[in-house]
Amino acid sequence: MTNPSPPASTSPAEAESTERRPPVPYWRRHLRADGTWKPLVGKNGPPGEELADLRSGLGQPAGSVIALWPYYAAETDGELTPELVAEHGALTLYGLHQQSQKRPMHKKGVNLGAALRRLRDSEKFLDSALDRRVETAATTTSVPALLYRLRGLVTQLRGQAIPLDYDQLARDLRQWSQAERRQWVRRRWALAYYTRGEQNGADQGPADDSGATGAGTPAPGARGASSGA
């Protein structure tokens, strides 16, 4: 009779890799790979009390609202990092966006400009009024000012059940405090917002170092959205 083989052990490198696996941002925590809800939350999405916790951070500095602490996924050594500030902003807007919505309001590949274009195409709002709100948000130069302006736009998106990519929004917020990168984010949003025809709003090219790639003259209105405040 032979003795059973001992269970396979995990190498130190594999164990360390598993331990250091980055946590999933909240807006993806309840989603399957195909973008639908996990069975645990059923058809109604995240618990309402969790979304209320996220909304409690609207207009508040990152890290200042105790209710949000369990939801942060960004790594920090106790300092207020640009990543944490960006995640905080995206979390609070997601809490507002997902409120009372049964369908996921996070959708990969739909940047803010593309989502707002869908809102414009819904013909539920006066084009000129929506254009002004979008341009007012795009010409802010600080993250708090941008988040303040986005609250109203996200509320309008929620009213039409139009989702957006919160991973991309968090990356955009992280870059907003740097003038050169902010220009690239504005350009991406403007091109997606003013371009007609089939598009998915996904970024082209590296977002952190050089912004979106793309050639040609900006579409009508993009120049105004790319100007400084």
Side-chain angles (χ1 to χ4, degrees):
M1 181 175 179
T2 59
N3 293 326
S5 301
S9 60
T10 303
S11 69
E14 291 174 334
E16 184 177 359
S17 175
T18 302
E19 291 173 0
R20 292 186 177 184
R21 183 176 299 170
V24 176
Y26 182 82
W27 49 84
R28 280 195 278 117
R29 192 175 297 174
H30 297 295
L31 291 178
R32 294 185 290 196
D34 63 359
T36 59
W37 295 125
K38 292 180 178 179
L40 185 63
V41 297
K43 297 180 179 179
N44 295 320
E49 58 270 22
E50 294 184 3
L51 296 176
D53 286 342
L54 302 185
R55 293 194 301 276
S56 70
L58 286 165
Q60 304 300 318
S64 67
V65 180
I66 296 176
L68 260 74
W69 289 0
Y71 302 100
Y72 291 138
E75 293 186 0
T76 177
D77 57 1
E79 298 296 326
L80 195 59
T81 64
E83 290 76 17
L84 183 60
V85 171
E87 184 186 23
H88 173 87
L91 280 171
T92 60
L93 291 177
Y94 176 76
L96 180 65
H97 200 172
Q98 191 61 59
Q99 182 183 16
S100 303
Q101 296 295 311
K102 292 187 176 182
R103 291 193 300 167
M105 289 296 101
H106 164 68
K107 185 175 182 180
K108 183 179 179 180
V110 181
N111 79 16
L112 180 65
L116 292 172
R117 178 69 208 191
R118 286 187 58 190
L119 184 66
R120 196 177 194 268
D121 288 343
S122 71
E123 299 183 348
K124 298 293 185 180
F125 306 96
L126 188 65
D127 286 354
S128 58
L130 183 59
D131 291 348
R132 284 194 299 271
R133 298 192 74 175
V134 171
E135 291 174 9
T136 298
T139 52
T140 60
T141 56
S142 71
V143 173
L146 174 62
L147 291 172
Y148 176 77
R149 297 297 180 183
L150 290 182
R151 285 171 65 175
L153 291 169
V154 167
T155 299
Q156 289 178 287
L157 290 173
R158 182 187 67 194
Q160 302 304 313
I162 298 173
L164 62 86
D165 188 334
Y166 275 87
D167 287 325
Q168 183 60 55
L169 181 61
R171 289 192 292 269
D172 291 343
L173 292 173
R174 191 169 68 240
Q175 297 179 84
W176 200 255
S177 59
Q178 302 178 49
E180 184 176 352
R181 293 181 177 180
R182 183 168 60 243
Q183 290 285 65
W184 282 107
V185 174
R186 282 174 175 155
R187 183 172 298 180
R188 289 198 301 269
W189 289 355
L191 290 175
Y193 183 67
Y194 285 101
T195 298
R196 296 183 182 276
E198 190 68 24
Q199 56 163 324
N200 61 14
D203 279 346
Q204 303 296 325
D208 286 344
D209 296 325
S210 60
T213 61
T217 303
R223 189 166 299 157
S226 298
S227 61

